[in-house]
Amino acid sequence: MVKDDSKDNEISEYPKKDQMLEKSEIAKIKQSDQAEARRYVVWGVITVLINISIFYALAHTLKIEYQLSNFIAWFISVQCSFWFEKVLVFKHESKHVMTDMTKFYGTRIFTFLIETCILWLGISVLGFHEVITKVIGHGVAVISNYFLSKLVIFKKITNEDNI
């Protein structure tokens, strides 16, 4: 305890008990975040499988040019990812679906550009192995996507946000 001479009151260096989160509340938050992260990984893997399956069907089965096939697969898999994350991962209840979707696509384009820059820097400038650079770049994109989704797009909403 610290003594405040001007008012002769004792001032605690620590918050009062009613201002602190209980250990059980902190544990619940950690468990919730861990469960959310696990759901993100599971649905992320499913989204990757959707992307690859669509790409394969278009490029190999239907003989559509690979870049167009890749774009269509990316677009559909990002759309699937949006709904998986909104409904199943973050359980977001916003009434502004188009705004959320626009932000979602914006962040995915942003992280795609980051990944592209990492690939250019790693492969073209530094001469690193292509696959290793791709894994690093995609890893940065996936981690960035998680935090952008959690903190920007599907953040916890208040009643005022949902009007």
Side-chain angles (χ1 to χ4, degrees):
M1 295 283 207
V2 176
K3 193 159 185 142
D4 180 359
D5 293 331
S6 64
K7 296 184 182 176
D8 233 6
N9 293 329
E10 289 184 1
I11 301 173
S12 174
E13 294 177 15
Y14 303 103
K16 295 179 183 174
K17 184 168 176 78
D18 62 335
Q19 295 173 331
M20 293 175 41
L21 285 175
E22 296 291 325
K23 286 183 180 181
S24 63
E25 292 171 328
I26 293 170
K28 286 179 189 175
I29 292 169
K30 284 182 181 179
Q31 287 174 341
S32 174
D33 284 348
Q34 289 172 352
E36 187 178 86
R38 282 191 300 273
R39 290 190 306 266
Y40 182 81
V41 169
V42 168
W43 290 104
V45 168
I46 291 169
T47 301
V48 167
L49 294 174
I50 289 169
N51 181 299
I52 293 169
S53 298
I54 292 170
F55 176 80
Y56 182 84
L58 295 174
H60 293 281
T61 305
L62 298 177
K63 306 295 184 205
I64 295 173
E65 196 270 329
Y66 80 91
Q67 289 176 327
L68 180 58
S69 296
N70 188 51
F71 175 75
I72 293 168
W74 175 84
F75 184 84
I76 292 171
S77 65
V78 168
Q79 186 63 43
C80 291
S81 181
F82 171 78
W83 290 105
F84 292 156
E85 289 184 30
K86 177 176 175 41
V87 175
L88 302 170
V89 175
F90 297 106
K91 301 178 181 181
H92 190 69
E93 297 180 6
S94 169
K95 294 179 182 175
H96 308 288
V97 175
M98 291 308 294
T99 301
D100 293 342
M101 193 178 300
T102 301
K103 288 192 287 186
F104 190 83
Y105 271 93
T107 61
R108 290 311 194 261
I109 290 168
F110 174 70
T111 58
F112 174 78
L113 293 174
I114 290 173
E115 183 177 350
T116 301
C117 289
I118 290 171
L119 290 173
W120 171 78
L121 180 65
I123 296 167
S124 297
V125 176
L126 300 174
F128 292 160
H129 189 273
E130 294 155 339
V131 175
I132 293 171
T133 305
K134 172 66 176 171
V135 169
I136 292 167
H138 195 66
V140 169
V142 166
I143 292 167
S144 299
N145 285 337
Y146 174 75
F147 287 106
L148 287 168
S149 290
K150 181 176 179 66
L151 302 174
V152 176
I153 302 158
F154 302 120
K155 64 184 175 188
K156 302 294 182 215
I157 58 175
T158 63
N159 286 338
E160 293 114 28
D161 293 335
N162 207 23
I163 296 175

